[in-house]
Amino acid sequence: MKRNLLVLATATVIGMAASSAHAHHSHPYFYDQCKSITIEGRVESVQWKDPHTVIVVRLDDGTAYTVDWNGLSALTRDGVIGPAKAALVFGARTAVAGNPIRSTAQIREHFPDYPTEVNPKTVDPRLIRRVGGSWSWAARPLQNPPDCKGN
């Protein structure tokens, strides 16, 4: 009985790790790591949640961008959550540099059953900062940066 539970537990952990690794390694299929954009505007809303925190930044021209950031658990674990919540309040002037989301067609080349249309104004942040220098966050450098020659 104990052996069966051990086998089941081991299989569950391996399955979860594989699923997590697949999701992590599919990230370049969703965001174009060979392109970078920078936006600056005011925080309209923040949803502190897992698996991703979502920040809406409205530019001066009225365009709203969605920033698809780390999840609440990761931000808490990394000690970022407190200062981030203090800095990213409604109306705070914020700059974000990151990678734009790929088109739905590009994503479906790798995931044919991808169920929804993407918001083309979505950014995977590499840097988020409160304008004025009171707070900033930067992603860790990519371990395996893409080869962007010819892009």
Side-chain angles (χ1 to χ4, degrees), residues 64-75:
Y65 275 81
T66 300
V67 179
D68 186 13
W69 196 20
N70 292 343
L72 181 61
S73 299
L75 296 173

Side-chain angles (χ1 to χ4, degrees), residues 62-136:
T63 304
Y65 275 81
T66 300
V67 179
D68 186 13
W69 196 20
N70 292 343
L72 181 61
S73 299
L75 296 173
T76 301
R77 179 195 65 230
D78 294 343
V80 175
I81 194 69
K85 280 188 172 185
L88 299 174
V89 296
F90 177 80
R93 190 122 187 111
T94 304
V96 177
N99 307 115
I101 197 161
R102 294 182 184 277
S103 70
T104 303
Q106 290 171 319
I107 293 169
R108 287 186 180 144
E109 287 175 11
H110 301 280
F111 302 97
D113 297 330
Y114 186 72
T116 60
E117 296 295 317
V118 299
N119 171 0
K121 302 286 188 213
T122 302
V123 179
D124 176 39
R126 304 296 306 157
L127 173 72
I128 303 173
R129 68 177 177 83
R130 175 96 180 245
V131 174
S134 63
W135 175 84
S136 67

